[in-house]
Short mmCIF file of all heavy atoms in Angstrom, two decimals:
data_model
loop_
_atom_site.label_atom_id
_atom_site.label_comp_id
_atom_site.label_asym_id
_atom_site.label_seq_id
_atom_site.Cartn_x
_atom_site.Cartn_y
_atom_site.Cartn_z
N MET W 1 -10.96 -4.45 29.25
CA MET W 1 -11.13 -3.60 28.10
C MET W 1 -11.52 -4.47 26.90
O MET W 1 -10.95 -5.51 26.66
CB MET W 1 -9.83 -2.85 27.80
CG MET W 1 -10.02 -1.93 26.64
SD MET W 1 -8.63 -0.93 26.07
CE MET W 1 -7.42 -0.95 27.26
N GLU W 2 -12.48 -4.01 26.15
CA GLU W 2 -12.99 -4.76 25.01
C GLU W 2 -12.20 -4.36 23.75
O GLU W 2 -12.03 -3.18 23.48
CB GLU W 2 -14.47 -4.42 24.82
CG GLU W 2 -15.13 -5.23 23.75
CD GLU W 2 -16.62 -4.91 23.68
OE1 GLU W 2 -17.25 -4.86 24.74
OE2 GLU W 2 -17.09 -4.71 22.57
N SER W 3 -11.73 -5.35 23.02
CA SER W 3 -10.99 -5.04 21.80
C SER W 3 -11.97 -4.75 20.66
O SER W 3 -13.02 -5.38 20.54
CB SER W 3 -10.07 -6.19 21.43
OG SER W 3 -10.84 -7.33 21.13
N ARG W 4 -11.60 -3.80 19.82
CA ARG W 4 -12.46 -3.43 18.70
C ARG W 4 -12.15 -4.31 17.50
O ARG W 4 -11.01 -4.66 17.25
CB ARG W 4 -12.23 -1.98 18.35
CG ARG W 4 -12.57 -1.05 19.52
CD ARG W 4 -12.50 0.36 19.12
NE ARG W 4 -13.66 0.61 18.29
CZ ARG W 4 -13.81 1.67 17.52
NH1 ARG W 4 -12.89 2.59 17.49
NH2 ARG W 4 -14.88 1.84 16.78
N LYS W 5 -13.18 -4.64 16.75
CA LYS W 5 -13.01 -5.45 15.56
C LYS W 5 -12.55 -4.56 14.40
O LYS W 5 -12.98 -3.41 14.27
CB LYS W 5 -14.32 -6.11 15.16
CG LYS W 5 -14.76 -7.21 16.06
CD LYS W 5 -16.00 -7.85 15.50
CE LYS W 5 -16.45 -8.99 16.38
NZ LYS W 5 -17.65 -9.62 15.85
N THR W 6 -11.71 -5.12 13.55
CA THR W 6 -11.31 -4.40 12.35
C THR W 6 -12.42 -4.57 11.33
O THR W 6 -13.33 -5.38 11.49
CB THR W 6 -10.00 -4.94 11.79
OG1 THR W 6 -10.19 -6.30 11.40
CG2 THR W 6 -8.88 -4.85 12.81
N ALA W 7 -12.34 -3.78 10.27
CA ALA W 7 -13.36 -3.88 9.21
C ALA W 7 -13.36 -5.27 8.58
O ALA W 7 -14.42 -5.82 8.27
CB ALA W 7 -13.08 -2.81 8.15
N LYS W 8 -12.19 -5.84 8.41
CA LYS W 8 -12.09 -7.16 7.81
C LYS W 8 -12.74 -8.21 8.70
O LYS W 8 -13.45 -9.10 8.21
CB LYS W 8 -10.61 -7.49 7.56
CG LYS W 8 -10.40 -8.69 6.71
CD LYS W 8 -8.92 -8.84 6.38
CE LYS W 8 -8.70 -9.96 5.42
NZ LYS W 8 -7.29 -10.09 5.04
N GLU W 9 -12.51 -8.11 10.01
CA GLU W 9 -13.11 -9.07 10.94
C GLU W 9 -14.63 -8.94 10.98
O GLU W 9 -15.34 -9.93 11.03
CB GLU W 9 -12.54 -8.88 12.35
CG GLU W 9 -11.11 -9.31 12.49
CD GLU W 9 -10.52 -8.89 13.84
OE1 GLU W 9 -11.07 -7.99 14.50
OE2 GLU W 9 -9.50 -9.49 14.22
N SER W 10 -15.12 -7.69 10.92
CA SER W 10 -16.57 -7.51 10.96
C SER W 10 -17.22 -8.03 9.67
O SER W 10 -18.31 -8.60 9.71
CB SER W 10 -16.94 -6.06 11.21
OG SER W 10 -16.48 -5.24 10.18
N ARG W 11 -16.56 -7.85 8.52
CA ARG W 11 -17.09 -8.40 7.26
C ARG W 11 -17.12 -9.90 7.32
O ARG W 11 -18.09 -10.54 6.86
CB ARG W 11 -16.22 -7.95 6.08
CG ARG W 11 -16.50 -6.54 5.62
CD ARG W 11 -15.86 -6.26 4.27
NE ARG W 11 -14.44 -6.47 4.26
CZ ARG W 11 -13.55 -5.54 4.54
NH1 ARG W 11 -13.93 -4.33 4.85
NH2 ARG W 11 -12.26 -5.80 4.49
N GLU W 12 -16.08 -10.51 7.87
CA GLU W 12 -16.02 -11.97 8.00
C GLU W 12 -17.12 -12.47 8.92
O GLU W 12 -17.76 -13.48 8.65
CB GLU W 12 -14.65 -12.40 8.50
CG GLU W 12 -14.47 -13.89 8.65
CD GLU W 12 -14.53 -14.64 7.35
OE1 GLU W 12 -14.29 -14.04 6.28
OE2 GLU W 12 -14.85 -15.84 7.37
N HIS W 13 -17.36 -11.76 10.02
CA HIS W 13 -18.43 -12.13 10.95
C HIS W 13 -19.80 -12.06 10.25
O HIS W 13 -20.61 -12.98 10.39
CB HIS W 13 -18.40 -11.22 12.17
CG HIS W 13 -19.51 -11.47 13.13
ND1 HIS W 13 -19.59 -12.60 13.91
CD2 HIS W 13 -20.61 -10.73 13.42
CE1 HIS W 13 -20.69 -12.56 14.63
NE2 HIS W 13 -21.33 -11.42 14.35
N LEU W 14 -20.03 -10.98 9.49
CA LEU W 14 -21.29 -10.86 8.76
C LEU W 14 -21.45 -11.95 7.71
O LEU W 14 -22.55 -12.46 7.49
CB LEU W 14 -21.40 -9.48 8.12
CG LEU W 14 -21.60 -8.32 9.07
CD1 LEU W 14 -21.52 -7.00 8.34
CD2 LEU W 14 -22.95 -8.45 9.77
N ARG W 15 -20.34 -12.29 7.05
CA ARG W 15 -20.39 -13.34 6.04
C ARG W 15 -20.77 -14.68 6.67
O ARG W 15 -21.60 -15.42 6.15
CB ARG W 15 -19.04 -13.47 5.32
CG ARG W 15 -19.05 -14.45 4.16
CD ARG W 15 -17.67 -14.74 3.65
NE ARG W 15 -16.84 -15.45 4.61
CZ ARG W 15 -16.95 -16.75 4.88
NH1 ARG W 15 -17.82 -17.49 4.27
NH2 ARG W 15 -16.15 -17.31 5.78
N ARG W 16 -20.17 -15.00 7.82
CA ARG W 16 -20.49 -16.25 8.51
C ARG W 16 -21.94 -16.28 8.97
O ARG W 16 -22.62 -17.29 8.88
CB ARG W 16 -19.57 -16.45 9.71
CG ARG W 16 -18.18 -16.84 9.33
CD ARG W 16 -17.34 -17.06 10.55
NE ARG W 16 -15.95 -17.27 10.20
CZ ARG W 16 -14.96 -17.16 11.04
NH1 ARG W 16 -15.20 -16.85 12.30
NH2 ARG W 16 -13.72 -17.35 10.64
N LYS W 17 -22.39 -15.15 9.49
CA LYS W 17 -23.77 -15.05 9.96
C LYS W 17 -24.75 -15.26 8.81
O LYS W 17 -25.74 -15.97 8.93
CB LYS W 17 -23.97 -13.68 10.60
CG LYS W 17 -25.25 -13.48 11.32
CD LYS W 17 -25.18 -12.14 12.04
CE LYS W 17 -26.54 -11.67 12.47
NZ LYS W 17 -26.49 -10.36 13.07
N GLU W 18 -24.47 -14.64 7.66
CA GLU W 18 -25.32 -14.80 6.48
C GLU W 18 -25.28 -16.24 5.97
O GLU W 18 -26.28 -16.78 5.54
CB GLU W 18 -24.88 -13.83 5.38
CG GLU W 18 -25.60 -13.99 4.07
CD GLU W 18 -27.08 -13.67 4.15
OE1 GLU W 18 -27.47 -12.91 5.04
OE2 GLU W 18 -27.84 -14.19 3.31
N HIS W 19 -24.12 -16.86 6.04
CA HIS W 19 -23.98 -18.25 5.58
C HIS W 19 -24.83 -19.20 6.44
O HIS W 19 -25.42 -20.14 5.93
CB HIS W 19 -22.52 -18.69 5.61
CG HIS W 19 -22.33 -20.09 5.13
ND1 HIS W 19 -22.54 -20.46 3.82
CD2 HIS W 19 -21.95 -21.22 5.77
CE1 HIS W 19 -22.30 -21.75 3.70
NE2 HIS W 19 -21.94 -22.23 4.87
N LYS W 20 -24.89 -18.94 7.75
CA LYS W 20 -25.72 -19.76 8.62
C LYS W 20 -27.20 -19.58 8.28
O LYS W 20 -27.97 -20.53 8.31
CB LYS W 20 -25.50 -19.39 10.09
CG LYS W 20 -24.21 -19.91 10.65
CD LYS W 20 -24.07 -19.51 12.11
CE LYS W 20 -22.74 -19.96 12.66
NZ LYS W 20 -22.55 -19.50 14.06
N ARG W 21 -27.57 -18.35 7.95
CA ARG W 21 -28.97 -18.06 7.66
C ARG W 21 -29.37 -18.54 6.26
O ARG W 21 -30.50 -19.00 6.08
CB ARG W 21 -29.18 -16.54 7.75
CG ARG W 21 -30.57 -16.14 8.13
CD ARG W 21 -30.67 -14.67 8.52
NE ARG W 21 -29.82 -13.78 7.79
CZ ARG W 21 -30.23 -12.97 6.82
NH1 ARG W 21 -31.47 -12.96 6.45
NH2 ARG W 21 -29.38 -12.18 6.24
N ASN W 22 -28.45 -18.46 5.30
CA ASN W 22 -28.78 -18.81 3.91
C ASN W 22 -27.58 -19.51 3.28
O ASN W 22 -26.80 -18.88 2.57
CB ASN W 22 -29.14 -17.53 3.14
CG ASN W 22 -29.61 -17.81 1.75
OD1 ASN W 22 -29.82 -18.95 1.38
ND2 ASN W 22 -29.75 -16.76 0.96
N PRO W 23 -27.42 -20.83 3.49
CA PRO W 23 -26.22 -21.52 3.01
C PRO W 23 -26.07 -21.52 1.48
O PRO W 23 -24.98 -21.46 0.95
CB PRO W 23 -26.37 -22.95 3.51
CG PRO W 23 -27.56 -22.98 4.36
CD PRO W 23 -28.29 -21.68 4.24
N GLY W 24 -27.15 -21.55 0.74
CA GLY W 24 -27.07 -21.57 -0.71
C GLY W 24 -26.70 -20.22 -1.30
O GLY W 24 -26.20 -20.14 -2.41
N GLY W 25 -26.94 -19.15 -0.58
CA GLY W 25 -26.68 -17.81 -1.09
C GLY W 25 -25.20 -17.54 -1.27
O GLY W 25 -24.79 -16.91 -2.25
N SER W 26 -24.37 -18.06 -0.36
CA SER W 26 -22.94 -17.81 -0.50
C SER W 26 -22.37 -18.59 -1.68
O SER W 26 -21.43 -18.14 -2.33
CB SER W 26 -22.21 -18.19 0.79
OG SER W 26 -22.38 -19.56 1.05
N LEU W 27 -22.96 -19.73 -1.99
CA LEU W 27 -22.51 -20.50 -3.16
C LEU W 27 -22.79 -19.71 -4.42
O LEU W 27 -21.96 -19.60 -5.31
CB LEU W 27 -23.23 -21.85 -3.20
CG LEU W 27 -22.90 -22.74 -4.37
CD1 LEU W 27 -21.43 -23.15 -4.32
CD2 LEU W 27 -23.79 -23.95 -4.37
N ARG W 28 -23.97 -19.10 -4.49
CA ARG W 28 -24.32 -18.31 -5.67
C ARG W 28 -23.42 -17.06 -5.77
O ARG W 28 -23.01 -16.69 -6.85
CB ARG W 28 -25.77 -17.90 -5.59
CG ARG W 28 -26.12 -16.88 -6.63
CD ARG W 28 -27.41 -17.12 -7.28
NE ARG W 28 -27.55 -16.13 -8.32
CZ ARG W 28 -28.39 -16.24 -9.27
NH1 ARG W 28 -29.17 -17.28 -9.33
NH2 ARG W 28 -28.48 -15.32 -10.19
N ASP W 29 -23.15 -16.42 -4.64
CA ASP W 29 -22.26 -15.24 -4.65
C ASP W 29 -20.88 -15.61 -5.19
O ASP W 29 -20.30 -14.87 -5.98
CB ASP W 29 -22.12 -14.65 -3.26
CG ASP W 29 -23.39 -13.97 -2.78
OD1 ASP W 29 -24.25 -13.69 -3.62
OD2 ASP W 29 -23.50 -13.73 -1.56
N GLY W 30 -20.35 -16.73 -4.77
CA GLY W 30 -19.05 -17.18 -5.25
C GLY W 30 -19.07 -17.48 -6.72
O GLY W 30 -18.15 -17.13 -7.47
N PHE W 31 -20.15 -18.08 -7.21
CA PHE W 31 -20.26 -18.37 -8.63
C PHE W 31 -20.35 -17.10 -9.45
O PHE W 31 -19.71 -16.96 -10.49
CB PHE W 31 -21.49 -19.25 -8.90
CG PHE W 31 -21.71 -19.52 -10.36
CD1 PHE W 31 -20.88 -20.38 -11.05
CD2 PHE W 31 -22.73 -18.88 -11.04
CE1 PHE W 31 -21.07 -20.63 -12.39
CE2 PHE W 31 -22.93 -19.11 -12.38
CZ PHE W 31 -22.10 -19.98 -13.06
N ASP W 32 -21.15 -16.15 -8.96
CA ASP W 32 -21.29 -14.89 -9.68
C ASP W 32 -19.97 -14.12 -9.72
O ASP W 32 -19.64 -13.50 -10.72
CB ASP W 32 -22.35 -14.01 -9.02
CG ASP W 32 -23.75 -14.52 -9.26
OD1 ASP W 32 -23.93 -15.35 -10.17
OD2 ASP W 32 -24.67 -14.08 -8.53
N ARG W 33 -19.19 -14.17 -8.64
CA ARG W 33 -17.91 -13.47 -8.59
C ARG W 33 -16.94 -14.09 -9.61
O ARG W 33 -16.22 -13.38 -10.30
CB ARG W 33 -17.33 -13.54 -7.18
CG ARG W 33 -16.17 -12.62 -6.97
CD ARG W 33 -15.76 -12.54 -5.52
NE ARG W 33 -16.82 -11.96 -4.69
CZ ARG W 33 -17.38 -12.57 -3.64
NH1 ARG W 33 -16.97 -13.76 -3.28
NH2 ARG W 33 -18.33 -12.00 -2.96
N VAL W 34 -16.93 -15.43 -9.69
CA VAL W 34 -16.03 -16.10 -10.63
C VAL W 34 -16.50 -15.87 -12.06
O VAL W 34 -15.69 -15.66 -12.96
CB VAL W 34 -15.98 -17.62 -10.31
CG1 VAL W 34 -15.25 -18.37 -11.40
CG2 VAL W 34 -15.31 -17.84 -8.98
N ALA W 35 -17.81 -15.85 -12.28
CA ALA W 35 -18.34 -15.68 -13.62
C ALA W 35 -18.19 -14.25 -14.13
O ALA W 35 -18.35 -14.00 -15.32
CB ALA W 35 -19.82 -16.09 -13.65
N GLY W 36 -17.90 -13.33 -13.24
CA GLY W 36 -17.70 -11.94 -13.67
C GLY W 36 -18.99 -11.21 -13.94
O GLY W 36 -19.07 -10.43 -14.89
N ASN W 37 -19.99 -11.42 -13.12
CA ASN W 37 -21.28 -10.77 -13.36
C ASN W 37 -21.38 -9.42 -12.64
O ASN W 37 -22.43 -9.05 -12.14
CB ASN W 37 -22.42 -11.68 -12.89
CG ASN W 37 -22.53 -12.91 -13.74
OD1 ASN W 37 -22.15 -12.88 -14.90
ND2 ASN W 37 -23.03 -13.98 -13.18
N GLY W 38 -20.32 -8.67 -12.56
CA GLY W 38 -20.35 -7.34 -12.01
C GLY W 38 -19.99 -7.25 -10.55
O GLY W 38 -19.92 -6.16 -10.01
N ASN W 39 -19.78 -8.35 -9.88
CA ASN W 39 -19.39 -8.29 -8.48
C ASN W 39 -17.88 -8.11 -8.40
O ASN W 39 -17.11 -8.99 -8.73
CB ASN W 39 -19.77 -9.58 -7.74
CG ASN W 39 -21.26 -9.72 -7.62
OD1 ASN W 39 -21.99 -8.73 -7.68
ND2 ASN W 39 -21.73 -10.93 -7.45
N VAL W 40 -17.46 -6.94 -7.96
CA VAL W 40 -16.04 -6.62 -7.87
C VAL W 40 -15.59 -6.85 -6.45
O VAL W 40 -16.22 -6.36 -5.51
CB VAL W 40 -15.79 -5.15 -8.30
CG1 VAL W 40 -14.31 -4.81 -8.19
CG2 VAL W 40 -16.29 -4.93 -9.70
N PRO W 41 -14.48 -7.57 -6.24
CA PRO W 41 -13.99 -7.74 -4.87
C PRO W 41 -13.59 -6.41 -4.24
O PRO W 41 -13.18 -5.49 -4.92
CB PRO W 41 -12.78 -8.64 -5.02
CG PRO W 41 -12.62 -8.94 -6.44
CD PRO W 41 -13.68 -8.25 -7.21
N ASP W 42 -13.71 -6.36 -2.94
CA ASP W 42 -13.40 -5.12 -2.22
C ASP W 42 -11.89 -5.03 -1.96
O ASP W 42 -11.41 -5.33 -0.88
CB ASP W 42 -14.18 -5.11 -0.89
CG ASP W 42 -14.02 -3.81 -0.16
OD1 ASP W 42 -13.66 -2.80 -0.80
OD2 ASP W 42 -14.26 -3.79 1.05
N ILE W 43 -11.17 -4.60 -2.97
CA ILE W 43 -9.71 -4.55 -2.87
C ILE W 43 -9.26 -3.48 -1.88
O ILE W 43 -8.41 -3.72 -1.04
CB ILE W 43 -9.10 -4.29 -4.27
CG1 ILE W 43 -9.38 -5.47 -5.19
CG2 ILE W 43 -7.59 -4.07 -4.16
CD1 ILE W 43 -9.03 -5.22 -6.61
N ALA W 44 -9.86 -2.30 -1.95
CA ALA W 44 -9.44 -1.21 -1.08
C ALA W 44 -9.73 -1.53 0.38
O ALA W 44 -8.94 -1.19 1.26
CB ALA W 44 -10.14 0.09 -1.49
N GLY W 45 -10.83 -2.18 0.67
CA GLY W 45 -11.17 -2.52 2.04
C GLY W 45 -10.25 -3.56 2.63
O GLY W 45 -9.96 -3.56 3.82
N ASP W 46 -9.76 -4.45 1.80
CA ASP W 46 -8.86 -5.50 2.28
C ASP W 46 -7.45 -4.98 2.56
O ASP W 46 -6.77 -5.49 3.44
CB ASP W 46 -8.78 -6.65 1.29
CG ASP W 46 -10.08 -7.42 1.21
OD1 ASP W 46 -10.89 -7.31 2.17
OD2 ASP W 46 -10.29 -8.14 0.23
N MET W 47 -7.02 -3.99 1.80
CA MET W 47 -5.65 -3.49 1.96
C MET W 47 -5.50 -2.50 3.09
O MET W 47 -4.44 -2.39 3.68
CB MET W 47 -5.18 -2.81 0.67
CG MET W 47 -4.87 -3.75 -0.44
SD MET W 47 -3.98 -2.96 -1.76
CE MET W 47 -5.08 -1.71 -2.29
N GLY W 48 -6.52 -1.73 3.38
CA GLY W 48 -6.40 -0.67 4.38
C GLY W 48 -5.90 0.60 3.72
O GLY W 48 -5.57 0.63 2.53
N TRP W 49 -5.83 1.66 4.49
CA TRP W 49 -5.49 2.95 3.89
C TRP W 49 -4.02 3.05 3.49
O TRP W 49 -3.68 3.71 2.51
CB TRP W 49 -5.88 4.10 4.82
CG TRP W 49 -5.06 4.23 6.07
CD1 TRP W 49 -5.28 3.63 7.25
CD2 TRP W 49 -3.88 5.01 6.23
NE1 TRP W 49 -4.31 3.98 8.16
CE2 TRP W 49 -3.43 4.84 7.56
CE3 TRP W 49 -3.16 5.83 5.38
CZ2 TRP W 49 -2.31 5.47 8.05
CZ3 TRP W 49 -2.03 6.45 5.88
CH2 TRP W 49 -1.62 6.27 7.21
N LYS W 50 -3.14 2.38 4.22
CA LYS W 50 -1.71 2.44 3.88
C LYS W 50 -1.43 1.68 2.58
O LYS W 50 -0.67 2.15 1.72
CB LYS W 50 -0.87 1.86 5.00
CG LYS W 50 -0.88 2.69 6.26
CD LYS W 50 -0.09 2.04 7.36
CE LYS W 50 -0.22 2.78 8.67
NZ LYS W 50 0.44 2.10 9.77
N GLY W 51 -2.03 0.53 2.44
CA GLY W 51 -1.86 -0.24 1.22
C GLY W 51 -2.44 0.48 0.01
O GLY W 51 -1.86 0.46 -1.07
N MET W 52 -3.59 1.12 0.20
CA MET W 52 -4.21 1.86 -0.90
C MET W 52 -3.35 3.06 -1.29
O MET W 52 -3.18 3.34 -2.48
CB MET W 52 -5.61 2.31 -0.48
CG MET W 52 -6.45 2.75 -1.60
SD MET W 52 -6.77 1.36 -2.70
CE MET W 52 -7.37 2.24 -4.09
N LEU W 53 -2.79 3.74 -0.31
CA LEU W 53 -1.90 4.86 -0.60
C LEU W 53 -0.67 4.40 -1.35
O LEU W 53 -0.25 5.03 -2.33
CB LEU W 53 -1.50 5.57 0.69
CG LEU W 53 -0.57 6.77 0.54
CD1 LEU W 53 -1.26 7.88 -0.23
CD2 LEU W 53 -0.13 7.26 1.90
N LEU W 54 -0.11 3.29 -0.94
CA LEU W 54 1.06 2.73 -1.63
C LEU W 54 0.72 2.35 -3.08
O LEU W 54 1.50 2.62 -4.00
CB LEU W 54 1.58 1.52 -0.87
CG LEU W 54 2.84 0.87 -1.41
CD1 LEU W 54 4.02 1.85 -1.36
CD2 LEU W 54 3.16 -0.38 -0.63
N LEU W 55 -0.44 1.75 -3.29
CA LEU W 55 -0.86 1.40 -4.65
C LEU W 55 -1.02 2.62 -5.53
O LEU W 55 -0.57 2.65 -6.68
CB LEU W 55 -2.17 0.60 -4.60
CG LEU W 55 -2.75 0.19 -5.94
CD1 LEU W 55 -1.82 -0.78 -6.65
CD2 LEU W 55 -4.13 -0.42 -5.75
N ILE W 56 -1.62 3.68 -4.99
CA ILE W 56 -1.79 4.91 -5.75
C ILE W 56 -0.45 5.53 -6.10
O ILE W 56 -0.22 5.98 -7.23
CB ILE W 56 -2.67 5.91 -4.98
CG1 ILE W 56 -4.10 5.39 -4.91
CG2 ILE W 56 -2.63 7.28 -5.60
CD1 ILE W 56 -5.00 6.15 -3.98
N LEU W 57 0.49 5.53 -5.13
CA LEU W 57 1.83 6.08 -5.39
C LEU W 57 2.56 5.28 -6.46
O LEU W 57 3.22 5.85 -7.34
CB LEU W 57 2.65 6.11 -4.11
CG LEU W 57 2.27 7.20 -3.11
CD1 LEU W 57 3.05 7.01 -1.80
CD2 LEU W 57 2.52 8.57 -3.69
N ILE W 58 2.46 3.96 -6.41
CA ILE W 58 3.13 3.12 -7.40
C ILE W 58 2.54 3.37 -8.78
O ILE W 58 3.29 3.50 -9.79
CB ILE W 58 3.03 1.63 -7.02
CG1 ILE W 58 3.91 1.38 -5.79
CG2 ILE W 58 3.41 0.72 -8.16
CD1 ILE W 58 3.74 0.00 -5.20
N LEU W 59 1.22 3.47 -8.87
CA LEU W 59 0.60 3.76 -10.17
C LEU W 59 1.01 5.13 -10.69
O LEU W 59 1.29 5.28 -11.89
CB LEU W 59 -0.92 3.67 -10.04
CG LEU W 59 -1.49 2.27 -9.85
CD1 LEU W 59 -2.99 2.33 -9.58
CD2 LEU W 59 -1.21 1.40 -11.06
N PHE W 60 1.06 6.13 -9.81
CA PHE W 60 1.45 7.46 -10.22
C PHE W 60 2.90 7.49 -10.70
O PHE W 60 3.21 8.07 -11.75
CB PHE W 60 1.25 8.45 -9.05
CG PHE W 60 1.64 9.85 -9.41
CD1 PHE W 60 0.85 10.62 -10.23
CD2 PHE W 60 2.81 10.39 -8.90
CE1 PHE W 60 1.22 11.92 -10.56
CE2 PHE W 60 3.19 11.69 -9.21
CZ PHE W 60 2.39 12.45 -10.04
N LEU W 61 3.79 6.87 -9.94
CA LEU W 61 5.21 6.82 -10.34
C LEU W 61 5.38 6.05 -11.65
O LEU W 61 6.20 6.43 -12.49
CB LEU W 61 6.05 6.21 -9.24
CG LEU W 61 6.25 7.09 -8.01
CD1 LEU W 61 7.00 6.31 -6.92
CD2 LEU W 61 7.00 8.35 -8.37
N GLY W 62 4.64 4.99 -11.82
CA GLY W 62 4.70 4.25 -13.07
C GLY W 62 4.26 5.10 -14.26
O GLY W 62 4.87 5.06 -15.33
N TYR W 63 3.23 5.90 -14.07
CA TYR W 63 2.76 6.80 -15.13
C TYR W 63 3.80 7.86 -15.45
O TYR W 63 4.06 8.15 -16.62
CB TYR W 63 1.44 7.44 -14.70
CG TYR W 63 0.92 8.44 -15.70
CD1 TYR W 63 0.35 8.02 -16.89
CD2 TYR W 63 1.02 9.81 -15.46
CE1 TYR W 63 -0.12 8.94 -17.82
CE2 TYR W 63 0.57 10.73 -16.37
CZ TYR W 63 0.00 10.29 -17.56
OH TYR W 63 -0.45 11.20 -18.47
N VAL W 64 4.41 8.43 -14.41
CA VAL W 64 5.44 9.46 -14.63
C VAL W 64 6.63 8.87 -15.38
O VAL W 64 7.15 9.46 -16.33
CB VAL W 64 5.87 10.09 -13.29
CG1 VAL W 64 7.12 10.94 -13.45
CG2 VAL W 64 4.73 10.88 -12.68
N ILE W 65 7.08 7.71 -14.99
CA ILE W 65 8.21 7.05 -15.67
C ILE W 65 7.84 6.72 -17.11
O ILE W 65 8.64 6.93 -18.03
CB ILE W 65 8.64 5.81 -14.89
CG1 ILE W 65 9.27 6.22 -13.56
CG2 ILE W 65 9.61 4.94 -15.70
CD1 ILE W 65 9.52 5.08 -12.60
N TYR W 66 6.64 6.24 -17.34
CA TYR W 66 6.16 5.96 -18.70
C TYR W 66 6.18 7.22 -19.55
O TYR W 66 6.65 7.18 -20.70
CB TYR W 66 4.75 5.34 -18.63
CG TYR W 66 4.11 5.18 -19.99
CD1 TYR W 66 4.46 4.09 -20.79
CD2 TYR W 66 3.20 6.09 -20.47
CE1 TYR W 66 3.88 3.91 -22.05
CE2 TYR W 66 2.62 5.95 -21.72
CZ TYR W 66 2.97 4.85 -22.48
OH TYR W 66 2.41 4.69 -23.72
N GLN W 67 5.67 8.33 -19.02
CA GLN W 67 5.65 9.57 -19.78
C GLN W 67 7.06 10.09 -20.04
O GLN W 67 7.33 10.67 -21.09
CB GLN W 67 4.85 10.66 -19.01
CG GLN W 67 3.37 10.41 -19.02
CD GLN W 67 2.79 10.48 -20.40
OE1 GLN W 67 3.15 11.34 -21.22
NE2 GLN W 67 1.90 9.55 -20.71
N PHE W 68 7.98 9.88 -19.11
CA PHE W 68 9.36 10.34 -19.26
C PHE W 68 10.06 9.60 -20.41
O PHE W 68 10.76 10.22 -21.21
CB PHE W 68 10.11 10.12 -17.95
CG PHE W 68 11.54 10.59 -18.01
CD1 PHE W 68 11.84 11.95 -18.02
CD2 PHE W 68 12.56 9.66 -18.04
CE1 PHE W 68 13.17 12.37 -18.07
CE2 PHE W 68 13.88 10.08 -18.09
CZ PHE W 68 14.18 11.43 -18.11
N PHE W 69 9.86 8.27 -20.49
CA PHE W 69 10.57 7.50 -21.50
C PHE W 69 9.87 7.44 -22.86
O PHE W 69 10.50 7.31 -23.88
CB PHE W 69 10.79 6.06 -21.01
CG PHE W 69 11.89 5.96 -19.99
CD1 PHE W 69 11.61 5.65 -18.67
CD2 PHE W 69 13.22 6.16 -20.35
CE1 PHE W 69 12.62 5.54 -17.72
CE2 PHE W 69 14.23 6.08 -19.42
CZ PHE W 69 13.94 5.75 -18.12
N PHE W 70 8.55 7.55 -22.88
CA PHE W 70 7.82 7.34 -24.13
C PHE W 70 7.12 8.60 -24.65
O PHE W 70 6.19 8.51 -25.43
CB PHE W 70 6.80 6.20 -23.96
CG PHE W 70 7.46 4.90 -23.67
CD1 PHE W 70 7.37 4.34 -22.41
CD2 PHE W 70 8.16 4.21 -24.64
CE1 PHE W 70 7.97 3.13 -22.11
CE2 PHE W 70 8.76 3.01 -24.37
CZ PHE W 70 8.67 2.46 -23.10
N SER W 71 7.57 9.77 -24.25
CA SER W 71 6.99 11.00 -24.78
C SER W 71 8.01 11.77 -25.58
O SER W 71 9.17 11.79 -25.36
CB SER W 71 6.54 11.92 -23.63
OG SER W 71 5.50 11.34 -22.93
#
């Protein structure tokens, strides 16, 4: 039986493949990400759906608590 790759593994595979094809491109991508030129890291893709749901719940509960104490 063949095991399926996760989204994170497939992104890593594509990144390695691109690095082999264009070694200088990944250096520029890293520089642009650090410099803040609009490249936003894929936070939701790295966490998965459970982590994203937990983040949304924490933000919502934080907002409710803020409104309760400061309104």
Side-chain angles (χ1 to χ4, degrees):
M1 182 181 346
E2 185 176 314
S3 63
R4 299 187 72 195
K5 288 185 179 180
T6 64
K8 192 173 185 178
E9 289 171 341
S10 62
R11 281 193 302 270
E12 181 65 23
H13 176 70
L14 289 173
R15 186 191 66 77
R16 287 182 187 162
K17 189 173 164 184
E18 175 65 24
H19 181 68
K20 285 180 184 177
R21 208 167 35 103
N22 185 9
S26 62
L27 179 65
R28 169 137 185 163
D29 290 343
F31 176 73
D32 288 344
R33 192 171 296 122
V34 171
N37 293 333
N39 293 336
V40 179
D42 186 21
I43 295 171
D46 290 342
M47 286 194 300
W49 70 271
K50 292 177 187 175
M52 195 65 195
L53 180 64
L54 183 62
L55 178 64
I56 291 170
L57 286 173
I58 290 171
L59 289 173
F60 180 74
L61 288 174
Y63 177 74
V64 169
I65 291 170
Y66 173 80
Q67 287 296 319
F68 181 72
F69 284 111
F70 297 108
S71 294

